[in-house]
Coordinates of all heavy atoms in Angstrom, one line a residue:
M1 N -11.0 -10.0 -11.0 CA -10.6 -10.0 -9.6 C -11.7 -10.7 -8.8 O -12.9 -10.7 -9.1 CB -10.5 -8.6 -9.1 CG -9.5 -7.7 -9.8 SD -7.8 -8.4 -9.7 CE -7.1 -7.7 -11.1
T2 N -11.2 -11.4 -7.7 CA -12.1 -12.1 -6.9 C -12.3 -11.4 -5.5 O -11.6 -10.5 -5.2 CB -11.6 -13.5 -6.7 OG1 -10.4 -13.4 -5.9 CG2 -11.3 -14.2 -8.0
L3 N -13.3 -11.9 -4.8 CA -13.5 -11.4 -3.5 C -12.3 -11.6 -2.6 O -11.9 -10.7 -1.8 CB -14.7 -12.1 -2.9 CG -15.0 -11.8 -1.4 CD1 -15.4 -10.3 -1.2 CD2 -16.0 -12.7 -0.8
W4 N -11.6 -12.8 -2.7 CA -10.5 -13.1 -1.9 C -9.3 -12.2 -2.2 O -8.6 -11.7 -1.3 CB -10.0 -14.6 -2.0 CG -11.1 -15.5 -1.5 CD1 -11.9 -16.3 -2.3 CD2 -11.4 -15.7 -0.2 NE1 -12.7 -17.0 -1.5 CE2 -12.5 -16.7 -0.2 CE3 -11.0 -15.2 1.0 CZ2 -13.1 -17.1 1.0 CZ3 -11.6 -15.7 2.2 CH2 -12.6 -16.6 2.2
Y5 N -9.1 -11.9 -3.4 CA -8.1 -10.9 -3.8 C -8.4 -9.5 -3.2 O -7.4 -8.9 -2.7 CB -8.1 -10.9 -5.4 CG -7.0 -10.2 -6.0 CD1 -5.8 -10.8 -6.1 CD2 -7.2 -8.9 -6.6 CE1 -4.7 -10.1 -6.7 CE2 -6.2 -8.3 -7.3 CZ -4.9 -8.9 -7.3 OH -3.9 -8.3 -7.9
D6 N -9.6 -9.1 -3.3 CA -10.0 -7.8 -2.7 C -9.8 -7.8 -1.2 O -9.3 -6.8 -0.6 CB -11.4 -7.4 -3.1 CG -11.6 -7.1 -4.5 OD1 -10.5 -6.8 -5.2 OD2 -12.7 -7.3 -5.0
V7 N -10.2 -8.9 -0.5 CA -10.0 -8.9 0.9 C -8.5 -8.9 1.3 O -8.2 -8.2 2.3 CB -10.7 -10.2 1.5 CG1 -10.3 -10.5 3.0 CG2 -12.2 -10.2 1.3
A8 N -7.7 -9.6 0.6 CA -6.2 -9.5 0.8 C -5.7 -8.1 0.7 O -4.9 -7.6 1.5 CB -5.5 -10.5 -0.1
R9 N -6.2 -7.4 -0.3 CA -5.7 -6.0 -0.5 C -6.1 -5.1 0.6 O -5.4 -4.3 1.1 CB -6.2 -5.5 -1.9 CG -5.4 -6.1 -3.0 CD -5.7 -5.4 -4.3 NE -7.1 -5.5 -4.6 CZ -7.6 -5.0 -5.8 NH1 -6.8 -4.5 -6.7 NH2 -8.9 -5.1 -6.0
V10 N -7.4 -5.3 1.1 CA -7.9 -4.5 2.2 C -7.1 -4.8 3.5 O -6.7 -3.9 4.2 CB -9.4 -4.7 2.4 CG1 -9.9 -4.1 3.7 CG2 -10.2 -4.1 1.2
A11 N -6.8 -6.1 3.7 CA -6.0 -6.5 4.9 C -4.6 -5.9 4.8 O -4.1 -5.5 5.9 CB -6.0 -8.0 5.0
I12 N -4.0 -5.9 3.7 CA -2.7 -5.3 3.5 C -2.8 -3.8 3.9 O -1.9 -3.3 4.6 CB -2.1 -5.6 2.1 CG1 -1.8 -7.1 1.9 CG2 -0.9 -4.8 1.9 CD1 -1.5 -7.4 0.5
A13 N -3.8 -3.1 3.4 CA -3.9 -1.7 3.6 C -4.1 -1.5 5.1 O -3.5 -0.5 5.7 CB -5.1 -1.1 2.8
V14 N -4.9 -2.3 5.8 CA -5.1 -2.2 7.2 C -3.8 -2.4 8.0 O -3.4 -1.7 8.9 CB -6.2 -3.2 7.7 CG1 -6.2 -3.3 9.2 CG2 -7.6 -2.7 7.2
N15 N -3.0 -3.4 7.5 CA -1.7 -3.7 8.1 C -0.8 -2.5 8.0 O -0.1 -2.1 9.0 CB -1.1 -4.9 7.5 CG -1.8 -6.2 7.8 OD1 -2.5 -6.3 8.7 ND2 -1.5 -7.2 7.0
L16 N -0.8 -1.8 6.9 CA 0.1 -0.7 6.7 C -0.3 0.5 7.7 O 0.5 1.1 8.3 CB 0.0 -0.2 5.3 CG 0.7 -1.1 4.2 CD1 0.4 -0.6 2.8 CD2 2.2 -1.0 4.5
L17 N -1.6 0.7 7.8 CA -2.1 1.7 8.7 C -1.7 1.4 10.2 O -1.3 2.3 10.9 CB -3.6 2.0 8.6 CG -4.0 2.6 7.3 CD1 -5.6 2.6 7.2 CD2 -3.5 4.0 7.1
L18 N -2.0 0.2 10.6 CA -1.6 -0.2 12.0 C -0.1 -0.1 12.2 O 0.3 0.3 13.3 CB -2.1 -1.7 12.2 CG -3.6 -1.9 12.3 CD1 -4.0 -3.3 12.4 CD2 -4.1 -1.2 13.6
L19 N 0.7 -0.5 11.2 CA 2.1 -0.4 11.4 C 2.6 1.0 11.5 O 3.6 1.3 12.2 CB 2.8 -1.2 10.3 CG 2.7 -2.7 10.5 CD1 3.1 -3.4 9.2 CD2 3.6 -3.2 11.6
L20 N 1.9 1.9 10.7 CA 2.3 3.3 10.8 C 2.1 3.8 12.3 O 2.9 4.5 12.8 CB 1.5 4.2 9.8 CG 2.0 4.2 8.4 CD1 1.1 5.0 7.5 CD2 3.4 4.9 8.4
G21 N 0.9 3.5 12.8 CA 0.6 3.9 14.2 C 1.5 3.3 15.2 O 2.0 4.0 16.1
L22 N 1.8 2.0 15.1 CA 2.7 1.3 16.0 C 4.1 1.9 15.9 O 4.8 2.1 16.9 CB 2.7 -0.2 15.8 CG 1.4 -0.9 16.2 CD1 1.4 -2.3 15.7 CD2 1.3 -0.9 17.7
G23 N 4.5 2.1 14.7 CA 5.9 2.7 14.5 C 6.0 4.1 15.1 O 7.0 4.4 15.7
Y24 N 4.9 4.9 15.0 CA 4.9 6.2 15.6 C 5.1 6.1 17.1 O 5.9 6.8 17.7 CB 3.7 6.9 15.2 CG 3.5 8.3 15.9 CD1 4.2 9.4 15.4 CD2 2.7 8.5 17.0 CE1 4.1 10.6 16.0 CE2 2.6 9.7 17.6 CZ 3.3 10.8 17.1 OH 3.2 12.0 17.7
V25 N 4.3 5.2 17.7 CA 4.4 5.1 19.2 C 5.8 4.5 19.6 O 6.4 5.0 20.5 CB 3.3 4.1 19.7 CG1 3.5 3.8 21.1 CG2 1.9 4.8 19.5
W26 N 6.2 3.5 18.9 CA 7.5 2.9 19.2 C 8.7 3.8 19.0 O 9.7 3.8 19.7 CB 7.7 1.5 18.5 CG 6.7 0.5 19.0 CD1 6.1 0.5 20.3 CD2 6.2 -0.6 18.3 NE1 5.3 -0.6 20.4 CE2 5.3 -1.3 19.2 CE3 6.4 -1.1 17.1 CZ2 4.7 -2.5 18.8 CZ3 5.8 -2.3 16.7 CH2 4.9 -3.0 17.6
A27 N 8.6 4.6 17.9 CA 9.7 5.6 17.7 C 9.7 6.6 18.9 O 10.8 7.0 19.3 CB 9.5 6.3 16.4
G28 N 8.6 7.1 19.3 CA 8.5 8.0 20.5 C 9.1 7.3 21.7 O 9.8 8.0 22.5
N29 N 8.7 6.0 21.9 CA 9.3 5.3 23.1 C 10.8 5.2 23.0 O 11.5 5.3 24.0 CB 8.7 3.9 23.2 CG 7.3 4.0 23.7 OD1 6.8 5.0 24.2 ND2 6.5 2.9 23.5
Y30 N 11.3 5.0 21.8 CA 12.8 4.9 21.6 C 13.5 6.2 21.8 O 14.5 6.3 22.5 CB 13.1 4.3 20.2 CG 14.6 4.2 20.0 CD1 15.4 3.3 20.7 CD2 15.3 5.1 19.2 CE1 16.8 3.3 20.6 CE2 16.7 5.0 19.0 CZ 17.4 4.1 19.7 OH 18.8 4.1 19.6
R31 N 12.9 7.3 21.4 CA 13.5 8.6 21.6 C 13.5 8.9 23.1 O 14.4 9.5 23.6 CB 12.7 9.7 20.9 CG 13.1 9.9 19.4 CD 12.5 11.1 18.8 NE 11.0 11.2 18.8 CZ 10.2 10.7 17.9 NH1 10.8 10.1 16.8 NH2 8.9 10.7 18.0
R32 N 12.5 8.5 23.8 CA 12.4 8.8 25.2 C 13.3 7.9 26.1 O 14.0 8.4 26.9 CB 10.9 8.7 25.7 CG 10.8 9.0 27.2 CD 9.4 8.8 27.7 NE 8.4 9.6 27.0 CZ 7.1 9.5 27.1 NH1 6.6 8.5 27.8 NH2 6.3 10.2 26.4
F33 N 13.3 6.6 25.8 CA 13.9 5.7 26.7 C 15.3 5.2 26.2 O 16.1 4.7 27.0 CB 13.0 4.5 27.0 CG 11.7 4.9 27.6 CD1 10.5 4.7 26.9 CD2 11.7 5.4 28.9 CE1 9.3 5.0 27.5 CE2 10.5 5.8 29.5 CZ 9.3 5.6 28.8
R34 N 15.5 5.2 24.9 CA 16.7 4.7 24.3 C 17.0 3.3 24.7 O 18.2 2.9 24.9 CB 17.9 5.6 24.7 CG 17.9 7.0 24.2 CD 18.2 7.1 22.8 NE 18.1 8.4 22.3 CZ 18.0 8.8 21.0 NH1 18.1 7.9 20.1 NH2 17.9 10.0 20.7
S35 N 16.0 2.4 24.7 CA 16.2 1.0 25.1 C 16.2 0.1 23.9 O 15.7 0.5 22.8 CB 15.0 0.6 26.0 OG 13.8 0.5 25.3
K36 N 16.9 -1.0 24.0 CA 17.0 -1.9 22.9 C 15.6 -2.5 22.6 O 15.3 -2.8 21.4 CB 17.9 -3.1 23.3 CG 19.4 -2.7 23.3 CD 20.2 -3.9 23.6 CE 21.7 -3.5 23.7 NZ 22.5 -4.7 24.0
H37 N 14.8 -2.7 23.6 CA 13.4 -3.2 23.4 C 12.6 -2.3 22.4 O 12.0 -2.8 21.5 CB 12.7 -3.4 24.7 CG 11.4 -4.0 24.6 ND1 11.2 -5.4 24.4 CD2 10.2 -3.5 24.6 CE1 9.9 -5.6 24.3 NE2 9.2 -4.4 24.5
A38 N 12.7 -1.0 22.7 CA 11.9 -0.1 21.9 C 12.5 0.0 20.5 O 11.8 0.1 19.5 CB 12.0 1.3 22.5
L39 N 13.8 -0.1 20.4 CA 14.5 -0.1 19.1 C 14.1 -1.4 18.3 O 13.8 -1.3 17.1 CB 16.0 0.0 19.2 CG 16.8 0.0 17.9 CD1 16.4 1.1 17.0 CD2 18.3 -0.1 18.2
G40 N 14.1 -2.5 19.0 CA 13.6 -3.7 18.3 C 12.2 -3.7 17.8 O 11.9 -4.1 16.7
L41 N 11.3 -3.1 18.6 CA 9.9 -3.0 18.2 C 9.8 -2.0 17.0 O 9.1 -2.3 16.0 CB 9.1 -2.5 19.3 CG 8.8 -3.5 20.5 CD1 8.1 -2.8 21.6 CD2 8.0 -4.7 20.0
L42 N 10.6 -1.0 17.0 CA 10.6 0.0 15.9 C 11.1 -0.7 14.6 O 10.5 -0.5 13.5 CB 11.4 1.2 16.2 CG 11.5 2.3 15.1 CD1 10.2 2.8 14.8 CD2 12.4 3.4 15.6
L43 N 12.2 -1.4 14.7 CA 12.7 -2.1 13.5 C 11.7 -3.2 13.0 O 11.6 -3.4 11.8 CB 14.1 -2.7 13.8 CG 15.2 -1.7 13.9 CD1 16.5 -2.4 14.3 CD2 15.4 -0.9 12.7
F44 N 11.0 -3.9 13.9 CA 10.0 -4.8 13.6 C 8.9 -4.1 12.8 O 8.5 -4.6 11.7 CB 9.4 -5.4 14.8 CG 8.2 -6.3 14.6 CD1 8.3 -7.6 14.2 CD2 6.9 -5.8 14.9 CE1 7.2 -8.4 13.9 CE2 5.8 -6.6 14.7 CZ 5.9 -7.9 14.2
A45 N 8.5 -3.0 13.2 CA 7.4 -2.3 12.5 C 7.9 -1.8 11.1 O 7.1 -1.9 10.1 CB 7.0 -1.0 13.3
V46 N 9.1 -1.4 11.0 CA 9.7 -0.9 9.7 C 9.7 -2.0 8.8 O 9.3 -1.9 7.6 CB 11.0 -0.2 9.9 CG1 11.7 0.0 8.6 CG2 10.9 1.1 10.7
M47 N 10.3 -3.2 9.2 CA 10.4 -4.3 8.3 C 9.1 -4.9 7.9 O 8.9 -5.2 6.7 CB 11.3 -5.4 9.0 CG 12.7 -5.1 9.2 SD 13.5 -4.8 7.6 CE 14.2 -3.2 7.9
L48 N 8.2 -5.0 8.8 CA 6.8 -5.5 8.4 C 6.1 -4.5 7.5 O 5.3 -4.9 6.7 CB 6.0 -5.8 9.7 CG 5.0 -6.9 9.6 CD1 5.5 -8.2 9.0 CD2 4.3 -7.2 10.9
F49 N 6.3 -3.2 7.8 CA 5.7 -2.2 6.9 C 6.2 -2.4 5.5 O 5.5 -2.3 4.5 CB 6.0 -0.8 7.4 CG 5.4 0.3 6.6 CD1 4.1 0.7 6.9 CD2 6.1 0.9 5.5 CE1 3.5 1.7 6.1 CE2 5.5 1.9 4.8 CZ 4.2 2.3 5.1
L50 N 7.6 -2.5 5.3 CA 8.2 -2.7 4.0 C 7.6 -4.0 3.3 O 7.3 -4.0 2.1 CB 9.7 -2.8 4.1 CG 10.3 -1.4 4.5 CD1 11.8 -1.6 4.7 CD2 10.1 -0.4 3.4
E51 N 7.5 -5.1 4.1 CA 6.9 -6.3 3.5 C 5.5 -6.1 3.0 O 5.2 -6.6 1.9 CB 7.0 -7.4 4.6 CG 6.6 -8.8 4.1 CD 5.1 -9.1 4.4 OE1 4.5 -8.4 5.2 OE2 4.6 -10.0 3.7
N52 N 4.7 -5.4 3.8 CA 3.3 -5.1 3.3 C 3.3 -4.2 2.2 O 2.4 -4.3 1.3 CB 2.5 -4.6 4.5 CG 2.0 -5.8 5.4 OD1 1.0 -6.4 5.0 ND2 2.7 -6.1 6.5
A53 N 4.2 -3.2 2.2 CA 4.2 -2.2 1.0 C 4.5 -3.0 -0.3 O 3.9 -2.7 -1.3 CB 5.2 -1.1 1.3
V54 N 5.5 -3.9 -0.2 CA 5.8 -4.7 -1.4 C 4.7 -5.5 -1.8 O 4.3 -5.7 -3.0 CB 7.1 -5.5 -1.2 CG1 7.3 -6.5 -2.3 CG2 8.3 -4.6 -1.0
A55 N 4.0 -6.1 -0.8 CA 2.8 -7.0 -1.1 C 1.7 -6.2 -1.8 O 1.1 -6.6 -2.8 CB 2.3 -7.6 0.1
L56 N 1.5 -5.0 -1.3 CA 0.5 -4.1 -1.9 C 0.8 -3.7 -3.3 O 0.0 -3.7 -4.2 CB 0.2 -2.9 -1.0 CG -1.0 -2.0 -1.4 CD1 -2.3 -2.8 -1.2 CD2 -1.0 -0.8 -0.5
Y57 N 2.1 -3.5 -3.5 CA 2.6 -3.2 -4.9 C 2.3 -4.4 -5.8 O 1.8 -4.2 -6.9 CB 4.1 -2.8 -4.9 CG 4.7 -2.8 -6.3 CD1 4.4 -1.7 -7.1 CD2 5.4 -3.9 -6.8 CE1 5.0 -1.7 -8.4 CE2 5.9 -3.9 -8.0 CZ 5.7 -2.8 -8.9 OH 6.2 -2.8 -10.1
L58 N 2.6 -5.6 -5.3 CA 2.5 -6.7 -6.2 C 1.0 -7.0 -6.4 O 0.6 -7.4 -7.5 CB 3.1 -8.0 -5.5 CG 4.6 -8.0 -5.4 CD1 5.1 -9.1 -4.6 CD2 5.2 -8.0 -6.8
Y59 N 0.1 -6.8 -5.4 CA -1.3 -7.1 -5.6 C -2.0 -6.0 -6.5 O -2.9 -6.3 -7.2 CB -2.0 -7.1 -4.2 CG -2.0 -8.4 -3.6 CD1 -0.8 -8.9 -2.9 CD2 -3.1 -9.3 -3.6 CE1 -0.8 -10.1 -2.3 CE2 -3.1 -10.5 -2.9 CZ -2.0 -10.9 -2.3 OH -2.0 -12.1 -1.7
M60 N -1.5 -4.8 -6.4 CA -2.3 -3.7 -7.1 C -1.6 -3.1 -8.3 O -2.3 -2.7 -9.2 CB -2.6 -2.6 -6.1 CG -3.5 -3.0 -5.0 SD -3.9 -1.7 -3.9 CE -5.0 -0.7 -4.9
L61 N -0.3 -2.9 -8.3 CA 0.3 -2.1 -9.3 C 1.1 -3.0 -10.3 O 1.2 -2.6 -11.5 CB 1.3 -1.1 -8.7 CG 0.6 -0.1 -7.7 CD1 1.6 0.8 -7.1 CD2 -0.5 0.7 -8.5
D62 N 1.7 -4.1 -9.9 CA 2.5 -4.9 -10.8 C 1.6 -5.6 -11.8 O 0.8 -6.4 -11.3 CB 3.4 -5.8 -10.1 CG 4.4 -6.6 -11.0 OD1 5.4 -6.0 -11.3 OD2 4.1 -7.7 -11.4
P63 N 1.6 -5.3 -13.1 CA 0.7 -5.9 -14.0 C 0.8 -7.4 -14.1 O -0.2 -8.2 -14.2 CB 0.9 -5.2 -15.3 CG 2.3 -4.6 -15.2 CD 2.6 -4.4 -13.8
V64 N 2.0 -7.9 -14.1 CA 2.2 -9.4 -14.3 C 1.8 -10.1 -13.0 O 1.0 -11.1 -13.1 CB 3.7 -9.7 -14.6 CG1 4.0 -11.2 -14.6 CG2 4.2 -9.0 -15.9
M65 N 2.2 -9.6 -11.9 CA 1.8 -10.3 -10.6 C 0.3 -10.2 -10.4 O -0.3 -11.2 -9.9 CB 2.6 -9.7 -9.5 CG 2.4 -10.5 -8.2 SD 3.1 -12.1 -8.3 CE 2.9 -12.6 -6.6
S66 N -0.3 -9.1 -10.6 CA -1.7 -8.9 -10.3 C -2.5 -9.8 -11.3 O -3.5 -10.4 -10.9 CB -2.2 -7.5 -10.3 OG -1.9 -6.9 -11.6
A67 N -2.1 -9.9 -12.5 CA -2.8 -10.8 -13.5 C -2.6 -12.3 -13.1 O -3.6 -13.0 -13.1 CB -2.2 -10.6 -14.9
W68 N -1.4 -12.6 -12.6 CA -1.2 -14.0 -12.1 C -2.0 -14.3 -10.9 O -2.6 -15.4 -10.8 CB 0.3 -14.2 -11.8 CG 0.6 -15.5 -11.3 CD1 0.8 -16.7 -12.1 CD2 0.8 -15.9 -10.0 NE1 1.0 -17.7 -11.3 CE2 1.0 -17.3 -10.0 CE3 0.7 -15.3 -8.8 CZ2 1.3 -18.0 -8.8 CZ3 1.0 -16.0 -7.6 CH2 1.2 -17.3 -7.6
M69 N -2.1 -13.4 -10.0 CA -2.9 -13.6 -8.8 C -4.4 -13.7 -9.1 O -5.1 -14.5 -8.4 CB -2.7 -12.4 -7.8 CG -1.3 -12.4 -7.1 SD -1.0 -13.9 -6.1 CE -2.2 -13.6 -4.8
A70 N -4.9 -13.0 -10.1 CA -6.3 -13.1 -10.5 C -6.6 -14.5 -11.1 O -7.7 -14.9 -11.0 CB -6.6 -12.0 -11.4
D71 N -5.6 -15.2 -11.7 CA -5.8 -16.5 -12.3 C -5.5 -17.6 -11.4 O -5.7 -18.8 -11.8 CB -5.0 -16.6 -13.5 CG -5.4 -15.6 -14.6 OD1 -6.6 -15.2 -14.6 OD2 -4.6 -15.3 -15.5
V72 N -5.1 -17.4 -10.2 CA -4.8 -18.5 -9.2 C -6.1 -19.1 -8.8 O -7.1 -18.4 -8.6 CB -4.0 -17.9 -8.0 CG1 -3.9 -19.0 -6.9 CG2 -2.6 -17.5 -8.4
P73 N -6.2 -20.4 -8.7 CA -7.4 -21.1 -8.2 C -7.9 -20.5 -6.9 O -7.1 -20.0 -6.1 CB -7.0 -22.6 -8.2 CG -5.9 -22.7 -9.1 CD -5.2 -21.4 -9.0
V74 N -9.1 -20.7 -6.5 CA -9.7 -20.1 -5.3 C -9.1 -20.6 -4.1 O -8.8 -19.9 -3.1 CB -11.2 -20.4 -5.3 CG1 -11.8 -19.9 -4.0 CG2 -11.9 -19.7 -6.5
A75 N -8.7 -21.9 -4.0 CA -8.2 -22.5 -2.7 C -6.9 -21.8 -2.3 O -6.7 -21.3 -1.2 CB -8.0 -24.0 -2.8
P76 N -5.9 -21.7 -3.2 CA -4.7 -20.9 -2.8 C -5.0 -19.4 -2.5 O -4.3 -18.9 -1.6 CB -3.8 -21.1 -4.0 CG -4.2 -22.3 -4.7 CD -5.7 -22.3 -4.5
Q77 N -5.9 -18.8 -3.2 CA -6.3 -17.4 -2.9 C -6.8 -17.3 -1.5 O -6.4 -16.4 -0.8 CB -7.3 -16.9 -3.9 CG -6.8 -16.6 -5.3 CD -7.9 -15.9 -6.1 OE1 -8.9 -15.6 -5.7 NE2 -7.6 -15.8 -7.4
R78 N -7.6 -18.3 -1.1 CA -8.1 -18.2 0.3 C -7.0 -18.3 1.3 O -7.0 -17.6 2.3 CB -9.1 -19.4 0.5 CG -10.4 -19.1 0.0 CD -11.4 -20.2 0.5 NE -12.4 -20.4 -0.6 CZ -12.9 -21.6 -0.9 NH1 -12.6 -22.7 -0.2 NH2 -13.9 -21.6 -1.8
L79 N -6.0 -19.2 1.0 CA -4.9 -19.4 2.0 C -4.1 -18.1 2.0 O -3.6 -17.7 3.1 CB -4.1 -20.6 1.6 CG -4.8 -21.9 1.8 CD1 -4.0 -23.1 1.3 CD2 -5.2 -22.1 3.3
L80 N -3.7 -17.6 0.9 CA -2.9 -16.3 0.8 C -3.7 -15.2 1.5 O -3.0 -14.4 2.3 CB -2.6 -16.0 -0.6 CG -1.6 -16.9 -1.3 CD1 -1.5 -16.5 -2.8 CD2 -0.2 -16.8 -0.7
T81 N -5.0 -15.1 1.4 CA -5.7 -14.1 2.0 C -5.8 -14.3 3.5 O -5.7 -13.4 4.3 CB -7.2 -14.1 1.4 OG1 -7.1 -13.8 0.1 CG2 -8.0 -13.0 2.1
L82 N -5.9 -15.6 3.9 CA -5.9 -15.8 5.4 C -4.6 -15.4 6.1 O -4.6 -14.9 7.2 CB -6.2 -17.3 5.6 CG -7.6 -17.8 5.6 CD1 -7.7 -19.3 5.8 CD2 -8.4 -17.0 6.6
L83 N -3.5 -15.6 5.4 CA -2.2 -15.1 5.9 C -2.3 -13.6 6.2 O -1.8 -13.1 7.3 CB -1.1 -15.4 5.0 CG -0.7 -16.9 4.8 CD1 0.3 -17.0 3.7 CD2 -0.3 -17.5 6.1
R84 N -2.8 -12.9 5.3 CA -2.9 -11.4 5.4 C -3.9 -11.0 6.5 O -3.7 -10.1 7.3 CB -3.3 -10.7 4.1 CG -2.3 -10.9 3.0 CD -1.0 -10.3 3.4 NE 0.0 -10.6 2.4 CZ 1.3 -10.3 2.6 NH1 1.7 -9.6 3.6 NH2 2.2 -10.6 1.7
V85 N -5.0 -11.8 6.6 CA -6.0 -11.5 7.6 C -5.5 -11.8 9.0 O -5.7 -11.0 10.0 CB -7.3 -12.2 7.3 CG1 -8.3 -12.1 8.5 CG2 -7.9 -11.6 6.0
F86 N -4.8 -13.0 9.2 CA -4.2 -13.3 10.5 C -3.2 -12.3 10.9 O -3.1 -11.9 12.1 CB -3.5 -14.7 10.4 CG -4.5 -15.8 10.3 CD1 -4.1 -17.0 9.7 CD2 -5.8 -15.8 10.8 CE1 -4.9 -18.1 9.6 CE2 -6.6 -16.8 10.7 CZ -6.2 -18.0 10.1
E87 N -2.4 -11.8 10.0 CA -1.5 -10.7 10.3 C -2.2 -9.4 10.7 O -1.7 -8.8 11.7 CB -0.6 -10.4 9.0 CG 0.5 -9.5 9.3 CD 1.4 -9.3 8.0 OE1 1.5 -10.2 7.2 OE2 1.9 -8.2 7.9
A88 N -3.3 -9.1 10.1 CA -4.0 -7.9 10.5 C -4.6 -8.1 11.9 O -4.6 -7.1 12.7 CB -5.2 -7.7 9.5
V89 N -5.1 -9.3 12.2 CA -5.7 -9.5 13.5 C -4.5 -9.4 14.6 O -4.7 -8.8 15.6 CB -6.4 -10.9 13.6 CG1 -6.7 -11.2 15.0 CG2 -7.6 -10.9 12.7
A90 N -3.4 -10.0 14.3 CA -2.3 -9.9 15.2 C -1.8 -8.5 15.4 O -1.6 -8.1 16.6 CB -1.1 -10.8 14.7
L91 N -1.7 -7.7 14.4 CA -1.3 -6.3 14.5 C -2.4 -5.5 15.2 O -2.0 -4.6 16.0 CB -1.0 -5.7 13.1 CG 0.2 -6.2 12.5 CD1 0.3 -5.7 11.0 CD2 1.5 -5.8 13.3
A92 N -3.6 -5.8 15.0 CA -4.7 -5.1 15.7 C -4.6 -5.4 17.2 O -4.8 -4.5 18.1 CB -6.1 -5.5 15.2
F93 N -4.3 -6.6 17.6 CA -4.1 -7.0 19.0 C -2.9 -6.2 19.6 O -3.0 -5.7 20.7 CB -4.0 -8.5 19.2 CG -4.0 -8.9 20.6 CD1 -5.1 -8.9 21.4 CD2 -2.8 -9.2 21.2 CE1 -5.1 -9.3 22.7 CE2 -2.7 -9.6 22.5 CZ -3.9 -9.6 23.3
I94 N -1.8 -6.2 18.9 CA -0.6 -5.5 19.4 C -0.9 -4.0 19.5 O -0.5 -3.4 20.5 CB 0.6 -5.7 18.5 CG1 1.1 -7.2 18.6 CG2 1.7 -4.8 18.8 CD1 2.1 -7.5 17.6
A95 N -1.7 -3.5 18.6 CA -2.1 -2.0 18.7 C -2.9 -1.8 19.9 O -2.7 -0.8 20.6 CB -2.8 -1.6 17.4
W96 N -3.9 -2.7 20.1 CA -4.7 -2.5 21.3 C -3.9 -2.6 22.6 O -4.1 -1.8 23.5 CB -5.8 -3.6 21.3 CG -6.7 -3.6 22.5 CD1 -7.6 -2.7 22.8 CD2 -6.6 -4.5 23.6 NE1 -8.2 -3.0 24.0 CE2 -7.6 -4.1 24.5 CE3 -5.9 -5.7 23.8 CZ2 -7.8 -4.8 25.7 CZ3 -6.1 -6.4 25.0 CH2 -7.0 -5.9 25.9
V97 N -3.0 -3.5 22.7 CA -2.1 -3.6 23.9 C -1.3 -2.4 24.0 O -1.0 -1.9 25.1 CB -1.3 -4.9 23.8 CG1 -0.2 -4.9 24.8 CG2 -2.2 -6.1 23.9
T98 N -0.7 -1.9 22.9 CA 0.2 -0.7 22.9 C -0.6 0.5 23.4 O 0.0 1.3 24.2 CB 0.8 -0.5 21.6 OG1 1.5 -1.7 21.2 CG2 1.7 0.7 21.5
W99 N -1.8 0.7 22.9 CA -2.5 2.0 23.2 C -3.4 1.9 24.5 O -4.0 2.8 24.9 CB -3.3 2.4 22.0 CG -2.5 3.0 21.0 CD1 -1.7 4.1 21.2 CD2 -2.5 2.7 19.6 NE1 -1.1 4.4 20.0 CE2 -1.5 3.5 19.0 CE3 -3.1 1.7 18.8 CZ2 -1.2 3.5 17.7 CZ3 -2.8 1.7 17.5 CH2 -1.9 2.5 16.9
D100 N -3.5 0.7 25.1 CA -4.3 0.5 26.3 C -3.6 1.1 27.5 O -2.5 0.9 27.7 CB -4.6 -1.0 26.5 CG -5.6 -1.2 27.6 OD1 -6.5 -0.3 27.7 OD2 -5.5 -2.2 28.3

């Protein structure tokens, strides 16, 4: 395993935690206001949570995929990791705006 591989897994775990918190807040907003906007945000959180859960499964539990990811050259690993890190930064910003 490489550093980039580990950073991607940590970023995915952070994404999952942020999406749980955001989903909790947006579900409460939907229960209170019954607006389409709150429902859309809740569905966004659910879909992105599922996407990250599948990614975490592929990175950590699936033996074929995790072995393949470990053998990928460093340059593609950096790019794949950057996607996860950018997503974590975006979700952290949305979380900050939501809880501010």
